[in-house]
Amino acid sequence: MPFQFFSSPHLHQGKGISQLMFQVIYALVPAIALYVGYFGYGVLINIALAVTAALATETLMLVARQQPLTPFLTDGSAVVTAVLLALCLPPLSPWWVPVIGTAFALIFAKHLYGGLGYNPFNPAMVGYVLLLISFPKEMTTWLPVQELAAQPLSLKESLTWVFTGTPAQGTTIDALSGATPLDYTKTQLGLGQPMAEIRTHPLFGMLGGKGWEWINMGFLLGGLWLLYKRVISWHIPFAMVGSLLTLALLFQWLEPATHPSALFHLVSGGTLLGVFFIATDPVTAAATPRGRLLYGAGIGCLTYIIRTWGGYPDGVAFAVLLMNMAVPLIDYYTPPRVFGQNRRP
């Protein structure tokens, strides 16, 4: 008999798509607030531009596909994609960066596959990878926290910079831009510098990148709330964090001078954003309990491999997309026991 995958009976959670999506947005609020506190108004501008582009793109694609507007525009899925993508972008990115990334994500990673529920790849990560490969300069111009603390930008100055590319009077791009802690660490390790010396740079705080460690705590808080509300299950976050920390602990134990600590990997870059908000996407992630464990573990391992030996300092986006491709195979080989079926002896 050919293999058949049975998923019934279906137990309804009592929550619609829009309710789940907006709960995800609510869970992002603590991290967004911390993001603004450390990096200024740029992140809010990115979010506003991305959401506007998302709603406009969603409308155009629904019209082109002859689909009703109201149910799809109000389900919150396009807004979630836009917000997640915006949080991955450098503050003060040129206005067209979030617009292009969001439009590409929704058109090529969502609607060309048939819309919500049919897309095999996480749209936000597809848009992010497009931007990272196509516009490396704009995607690596980050604002050092220590510089912003001494010279914060007002909302007007941030808007001027985003829409005209002109920095505030008395500042230059070089003075207010630099590498992320992950990027700086990767570059310095490539030059043969030991971790003990790298960690003395002003970019770093107690555990990881200055500012980033607290922003990741905001993502952790929001993620724990999503677990409490049962918006997401524990399988993917547990497996992703476990595999990433296991590899980091192992290699740091073997070569402590050339490998960052496990906590550094956890609280630097987009780790916890990926753990709770990106890898857990219900459409593109594995659907079975055992499959979710394998899926999350694969993302954690690939993230560490790319960060350590790959060409990009933060490998979460690439890891998620690579494991998205493996989801059909994972689900095929990890079916749950059919309801009412006796276990085999």
Side-chain angles (χ1 to χ4, degrees), residues 227 232-240 275-276 280 289 292-293:
L227 287 170
I232 61 175
S233 70
W234 61 270
H235 302 78
I236 294 173
F238 174 81
M240 182 176 171
V275 165
F276 292 108
T280 55
R292 289 170 182 163
L293 291 173

Side-chain angles (χ1 to χ4, degrees), residues 8-9 337-343:
S8 58
R337 185 170 62 92
V338 177
F339 186 79
Q341 183 184 64
N342 294 326
R343 295 183 183 273

Side-chain angles (χ1 to χ4, degrees), residues 30-257:
I32 293 173
L34 289 165
Y35 217 137
V36 174
Y38 280 104
F39 289 98
Y41 295 104
V43 63
L44 295 180
I45 299 172
N46 281 344
I47 291 173
L49 289 169
V51 170
T52 301
L55 295 176
T57 303
E58 189 86 347
T59 300
L60 291 174
M61 291 305 297
L62 289 172
V63 171
R65 294 176 53 216
Q66 299 181 346
Q67 298 292 317
L69 297 181
T70 301
F72 295 105
L73 285 177
T74 58
D75 66 11
S77 61
V79 174
V80 169
T81 296
V83 174
L84 291 176
L85 176 59
L87 291 175
C88 298
L89 303 179
L92 303 187
S93 296
W95 64 268
W96 46 267
V97 169
V99 171
I100 290 176
T102 304
F104 185 88
L106 292 177
I107 294 173
F108 291 94
K110 179 181 177 182
H111 283 283
L112 291 189
Y113 286 102
L116 182 65
Y118 298 95
N119 51 296
F121 299 104
N122 185 290
M125 293 300 93
V126 171
Y128 174 77
V129 167
L130 168 83
L131 295 173
L132 188 62
I133 295 173
S134 303
F135 311 109
K137 178 181 177 181
E138 287 76 11
M139 292 294 289
T140 54
T141 303
W142 285 85
L143 302 175
V145 172
Q146 68 274 13
E147 294 287 347
L148 283 174
Q151 190 178 4
L153 298 177
S154 67
L155 177 59
K156 181 180 179 181
E157 290 171 332
S158 300
L159 287 168
T160 300
W161 198 325
V162 167
F163 285 99
T164 68
T166 304
Q169 187 175 4
T171 64
T172 64
I173 290 289
D174 292 334
L176 280 176
S177 63
T180 64
L182 282 173
D183 197 6
Y184 180 82
T185 300
K186 191 175 186 68
T187 300
Q188 294 303 309
L189 286 174
L191 296 175
Q193 298 295 320
M195 279 304 304
E197 184 174 336
I198 294 172
R199 287 297 305 270
T200 61
H201 193 278
L203 276 174
F204 299 95
M206 294 181 293
L207 301 175
K210 188 177 294 183
W212 288 104
E213 51 197 4
W214 292 108
I215 291 170
N216 273 285
M217 290 303 101
F219 289 130
L220 175 61
L221 180 63
L224 292 176
W225 184 76
L226 291 179
L227 287 170
Y228 170 74
K229 300 295 288 185
R230 297 186 178 181
V231 176
I232 61 175
S233 70
W234 61 270
H235 302 78
I236 294 173
F238 174 81
M240 182 176 171
V241 170
S243 60
L244 177 61
L245 294 186
T246 299
L247 288 177
L249 286 169
L250 174 64
F251 281 96
Q252 193 198 26
W253 177 68
L254 293 173
E255 295 183 82

